[in-house]
Amino acid sequence: DTDAERARAAREAAQGELLALRAKRGELEGETQSARARADEVERMAAQARAEREQLTSKVAELELAVREAEHRERELSQSLESARIRFAEIEAELNLLAQTFAQHPATDEEQADVAARYESYSEDAALELPKLRDDLARLSNVNLNAEADLEALAERERFLKEQMDDLHAAREKLLQVIAEIESSAQETFNKTFEAVQKSFTETFARLFPGGVARMWQTDPERISETGIEIAVAPPGKKMMALQALSGGERAMVSVALIFAILKVKPSPFYLFDEIDAALDEANVDRFSDLVREFARDSQLLVVTHNKKTMELADHIYGVTMREPGISSIVSARLEAVGVA
């Protein structure tokens, strides 16, 4: 029984506590709804406050822009006012100057009437045209009063230079004509001389190379300043070939033939040959000696050589010997005297 009573008492206490809790929950739910309502109101007020703040911010920006524009306009008006003041001062100064000038030199009735007649039908704004007239006046104030005399001097200088240029052109044409005549004469003389040397070279080559043929021609015979000279030879038993294809001895003989061919066309009373026979063999030296004897009949020859056969052609021999070490001496001999003895 005691346990049942305790259980009943506990159940009754629990039910009472449950009722209290339910009542408390109802109170809390009411408070929650009130809090939510207050929160919604606060949120609405905050949104409204944000909207008002944005409107105020936009309004402040508009006011700041308006203030800046007003300040800019104020500066422009101040500058315009200052410019107007300066212009007014200039106009006043000009008027004073004109008044002083007019007071010192007043216009006559005729001048006034003339000005009035000229501008009677003038319909333009004089204030707008006045700056242009001032600029024109400023430019005209620097007019060179000696321009006409300077123009005459320049014209005279131009005539003088033109005469000089005409003289130069005439002199140039005359010089070109003289050069053309000289070139024509030189071309004719050169071609005649070349033909003579060419013929002489062919004959001389045939004497040095019995049975051989030689040709010599100009690459551009019509232009003496640009022409070249080509040589081709055919030694006995060989075909025609350029100088580069010949042996050293053959090239030396061609050179000897060319030298003697030129000397036949333009002879001289004295010749100096320096080792002209150095590359010749014995047979070629004999033919070379024949040419030397032929030229020695009409001219005096001085030949520098180490070839014994060439030395046999000489009437006088001069040599250098060294009888003592380091001491050179010249030795000479007259071969004619030796031959007579």
Side-chain angles (χ1 to χ4, degrees):
D1 293 335
T2 303
D3 293 335
E5 291 177 356
R6 284 198 298 269
R8 188 171 48 253
R11 185 180 59 187
E12 291 176 352
Q15 288 177 350
E17 185 176 358
L18 177 61
L19 292 174
L21 289 174
R22 284 177 178 173
K24 184 66 174 177
R25 186 183 68 178
E27 293 176 358
L28 290 175
E29 287 179 352
E31 293 178 356
T32 300
Q33 291 177 355
S34 298
R36 285 177 180 173
R38 288 195 298 273
D40 292 339
E41 181 66 20
V42 171
E43 180 65 26
R44 184 184 65 77
M45 294 175 64
Q48 184 178 0
R50 284 195 294 270
E52 291 178 354
R53 185 185 63 182
E54 291 177 356
Q55 291 178 357
L56 292 174
T57 302
S58 176
K59 187 63 174 178
V60 168
E62 292 177 358
L63 292 175
E64 289 179 350
L65 179 60
V67 169
R68 287 195 295 271
E69 291 179 351
E71 291 176 350
H72 179 69
R73 182 59 180 168
E74 181 183 5
R75 287 193 297 271
E76 289 182 348
L77 291 174
S78 298
Q79 293 176 357
S80 299
L81 180 60
E82 184 65 24
S83 299
R85 287 174 180 173
I86 295 173
R87 182 59 184 156
F88 179 76
E90 291 177 351
I91 293 174
E92 188 176 8
E94 290 178 0
L95 289 175
N96 292 332
L97 179 61
L98 290 174
Q100 293 176 5
T101 303
F102 186 76
Q104 295 175 0
H105 305 284
T108 63
D109 295 337
E110 294 179 357
E111 292 175 343
Q112 294 178 15
D114 180 61
V115 172
R118 278 188 294 164
Y119 292 94
E120 182 179 2
S121 61
Y122 184 77
S123 60
E124 302 293 334
D125 188 356
L128 297 177
E129 193 175 359
L130 188 60
K132 179 179 180 301
L133 294 175
R134 287 198 184 94
D135 294 340
D136 294 342
L137 181 61
R139 287 194 297 269
L140 291 174
S141 62
N142 295 324
V143 171
N144 183 10
L145 300 179
N146 296 324
E148 187 174 357
D150 294 343
L151 178 61
E152 293 179 358
L154 290 175
E156 182 64 26
R157 178 64 175 170
E158 181 186 10
R159 286 193 295 271
F160 173 75
L161 293 177
K162 191 175 183 300
E163 291 176 358
Q164 295 293 316
M165 184 63 69
D166 293 339
D167 292 343
L168 288 175
H169 284 305
R172 178 178 179 275
E173 294 298 329
K174 187 174 182 179
L175 285 175
L176 291 176
Q177 183 180 359
V178 171
I179 291 172
E181 292 176 357
I182 293 175
E183 287 184 348
S184 177
S185 177
Q187 182 75 52
E188 182 180 357
T189 303
F190 178 80
N191 288 338
K192 289 181 178 180
T193 304
F194 181 80
E195 291 176 1
V197 172
Q198 182 183 33
K199 181 179 179 181
S200 177
F201 173 68
T202 302
E203 296 173 353
T204 306
F205 183 84
R207 289 184 59 183
L208 294 175
F209 287 90
V213 179
R215 291 182 59 246
M216 182 169 64
W217 69 93
Q218 299 182 55
T219 59
D220 192 355
E222 299 300 327
R223 290 185 289 183
I224 187 174
S225 59
E226 299 181 10
T227 186
I229 296 176
E230 295 289 341
I231 294 177
V233 298
K238 295 183 180 181
K239 63 180 181 178
M240 188 72 68
M241 62 185 69
L243 293 178
Q244 293 81 357
L246 300 175
S247 64
E250 289 172 337
R251 285 200 296 268
M253 284 297 287
V254 172
S255 301
V256 171
L258 181 59
I259 291 172
F260 280 103
I262 295 173
L263 296 180
K264 283 184 178 181
V265 175
K266 295 291 182 181
S268 173
F270 177 81
Y271 301 106
L272 171 62
F273 297 145
D274 185 6
E275 299 288 352
I276 192 174
D277 57 347
L280 304 182
D281 55 18
E282 185 174 352
N284 290 330
V285 169
D286 290 338
R287 291 190 286 271
F288 167 74
S289 299
D290 293 339
L291 288 175
V292 171
R293 291 190 187 94
E294 180 180 335
F295 274 79
R297 288 196 293 267
D298 300 319
S299 302
Q300 184 177 6
L301 277 70
L302 178 60
V303 182
V304 179
T305 182
H306 291 83
N307 191 287
K308 295 180 179 179
K309 284 195 172 185
T310 304
M311 294 179 188
E312 293 175 359
L313 303 174
D315 297 328
H316 299 76
I317 293 180
Y318 299 89
V320 179
T321 183
M322 187 180 294
R323 296 179 180 178
E324 298 181 9
I327 300 176
S328 299
S329 58
I330 297 176
V331 178
S332 63
R334 293 175 58 88
L335 297 186
E336 290 181 348
V338 172
V340 173

